[in-house]
């Protein structure tokens, strides 16, 4: 499957995404200069801490960019409908196109998306069948990076030894160290708290094989009952049975061919 780029021209979405990118840039640029590199030069921390921080930052921004610009599962104008599954397709009342069950029409994007979970303004894109795995990685690595940053801020306050060479820190950051740390801690608390709630909601949806839209519509009486093993649900979302690959945003997802009638219907 080739890489398909998806652009959404939404000013509100671009503004929200710009805020996320600003938070990432702030912590990726200032935290190493203010905390990591100076304390590494004075042998207060090892190089492994710096490598892990930049790795978490790289995984976070990669999942963000890919989730934002990946095709969430937009249906083509004339989709091929297998004869054995035609009864599991219906007609969208908004765009008058045939779509499989569990698809939904996004009013912001203006088209139907397969197994759409929701439209997220923070990535300026829908979360659907083809990019849901990237959105889950984004939630996870944002939590990891935010928690990592909060731990470093705390250590800078209370644990690390004072620097013996003020020249190890740029003059501007040295003069405004307290303000920079407070801004970083404030953004870290907001990001970690917000993502924790969102990630919990996403995980409960996966464990019950239910999308956010299905929860809002309350389409099934037994919605909260698990319908299949959690390993199967996660494998379908991430496109592989190899659990280690669930954490890698650099790969290309290969969807598992699962018939739509094996799952919930909307």
């Amino acid at each position: 499957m080739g890489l398909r780029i998806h652009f959404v021209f939404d000013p509100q979405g671009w503004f929200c995404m710009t805020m996320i990118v600003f938070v990432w840039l702030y912590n990726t640029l200032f935290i190493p200069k203010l905390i990591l590199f100076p304390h590494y030069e004075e042998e207060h921390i090892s190089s492994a801490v710096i490598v892990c921080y930049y790795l978490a930052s790289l995984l976070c921004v990669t999942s963000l960019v890919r989730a934002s610009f990946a095709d969430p599962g937009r249906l083509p104008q004339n989709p091929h409908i297998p004869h054995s599954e035609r009864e599991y397709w219906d007609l969208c009342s908004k765009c008058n196109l045939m779509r499989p069950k569990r698809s939904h029409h996004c009013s912001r994007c203006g088209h139907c998306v397969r197994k759409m979970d929701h439209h997220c303004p923070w990535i300026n894109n829908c979360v659907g069948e083809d990019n849901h795995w990237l959105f889950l990685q984004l939630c996870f690595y944002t939590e990891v990076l935010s928690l990592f940053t909060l731990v470093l801020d705390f250590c800078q306050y209370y644990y690390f030894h004072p620097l013996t060479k003020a020249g190890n820190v740029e003059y501007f950051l040295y003069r405004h160290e307290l303000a920079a740390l407070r801004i970083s801690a404030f953004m870290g608390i907001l990001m970690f708290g917000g993502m924790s709630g969102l990630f919990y909601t996403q995980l409960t949806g996966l464990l019950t094989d239910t999308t956010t839209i299905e929860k809002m519509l309350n389409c099934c009486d037994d919605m909260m009952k698990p319908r299949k093993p959690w390993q199967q649900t996660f494998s379908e979302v991430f496109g592989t049975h190899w659990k280690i690959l669930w954490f890698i945003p650099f790969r290309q997802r290969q969807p598992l061919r699962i018939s739509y009638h094996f799952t919930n219907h909307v």
Side-chain angles (χ1 to χ4, degrees):
M1 176 179 293
L3 180 62
R4 294 180 297 176
I5 305 299
H6 185 250
F7 291 97
V8 179
F9 298 96
D10 182 9
Q12 178 184 354
W14 283 112
F15 175 77
C16 293
M17 188 176 175
T18 301
M19 293 179 60
I20 298 298
V21 173
F22 170 78
V23 173
W24 175 81
L25 281 174
Y26 183 92
N27 288 304
T28 303
L29 294 178
F30 286 155
I31 292 300
K33 290 184 179 181
L34 182 62
I35 302 177
L36 295 178
F37 291 134
H39 287 284
Y40 170 73
E41 292 177 2
E42 299 197 3
E43 299 182 350
H44 296 162
I45 61 174
S46 67
S47 59
V49 178
I50 300 178
V51 172
C52 289
Y53 189 83
Y54 274 115
L55 179 60
S57 179
L58 176 63
L59 292 170
C60 181
V61 73
T62 301
S63 57
L64 170 63
V65 172
R66 294 202 62 189
S68 300
F69 295 105
D71 188 340
R74 178 177 180 176
L75 288 170
Q77 293 292 329
N78 297 306
H80 172 70
I81 306 176
H83 182 74
S84 60
E85 297 185 3
R86 289 184 178 180
E87 61 180 303
Y88 306 107
W89 288 59
D90 55 20
L91 184 66
C92 176
S93 60
K94 297 180 180 179
C95 59
N96 294 320
L97 294 177
M98 294 299 294
R99 63 183 186 181
K101 301 291 186 177
R102 307 191 75 180
S103 300
H104 186 77
H105 187 92
C106 178
S107 58
R108 283 191 174 272
C109 298
H111 52 72
C112 288
V113 177
R114 296 192 312 273
K115 199 179 178 182
M116 178 177 170
D117 187 84
H118 67 286
H119 182 93
C120 181
W122 300 106
I123 64 171
N124 192 35
N125 200 358
C126 288
V127 178
E129 183 177 82
D130 290 345
N131 70 339
H132 196 180
W133 66 288
L134 292 166
F135 184 75
L136 292 169
Q137 290 181 352
L138 173 62
C139 294
F140 175 74
Y141 287 121
T142 300
E143 283 193 284
V144 171
L145 184 61
S146 299
L147 183 60
F148 205 158
T149 301
L150 288 173
V151 170
L152 290 175
D153 291 338
F154 177 84
C155 291
Q156 180 73 355
Y157 269 121
Y158 301 107
Y159 180 75
F160 287 147
H161 297 291
L163 296 174
T164 58
K165 301 178 182 179
N168 290 344
V169 184
E170 292 186 6
Y171 180 75
F172 176 83
L173 292 178
Y174 180 76
R175 289 287 304 272
H176 303 87
E177 174 185 357
L178 184 59
L181 287 177
R182 286 178 175 175
I183 294 174
S184 175
F186 176 73
M187 292 190 299
I189 292 173
L190 286 181
M191 295 298 294
F192 183 77
M195 280 298 178
S196 296
L198 180 58
F199 195 41
Y200 172 79
T201 302
Q202 290 293 308
L203 288 180
T204 56
L206 281 182
L207 294 175
T208 57
D209 191 24
T210 309
T211 66
T212 301
I213 292 178
E214 290 170 350
K215 291 180 182 179
M216 296 174 61
L217 295 176
N218 195 24
C219 64
C220 299
D221 295 334
D222 57 341
M223 183 183 301
M224 297 309 294
K225 296 180 181 179
R227 290 162 176 78
K228 62 183 73 171
W230 68 269
Q231 296 94 332
Q232 180 180 347
T233 304
F234 275 71
S235 297
E236 292 175 10
V237 171
F238 287 94
T240 178
H241 295 288
W242 292 88
K243 296 181 177 60
I244 187 62
L245 296 180
W246 295 354
F247 299 91
I248 308 300
F250 306 105
R251 63 183 178 89
Q252 189 68 27
R253 175 181 178 271
Q254 298 295 333
L256 301 180
R257 297 301 178 182
I258 305 295
S259 297
Y260 286 97
H261 61 272
F262 289 142
T263 53
N264 297 335
H265 298 162
V266 175

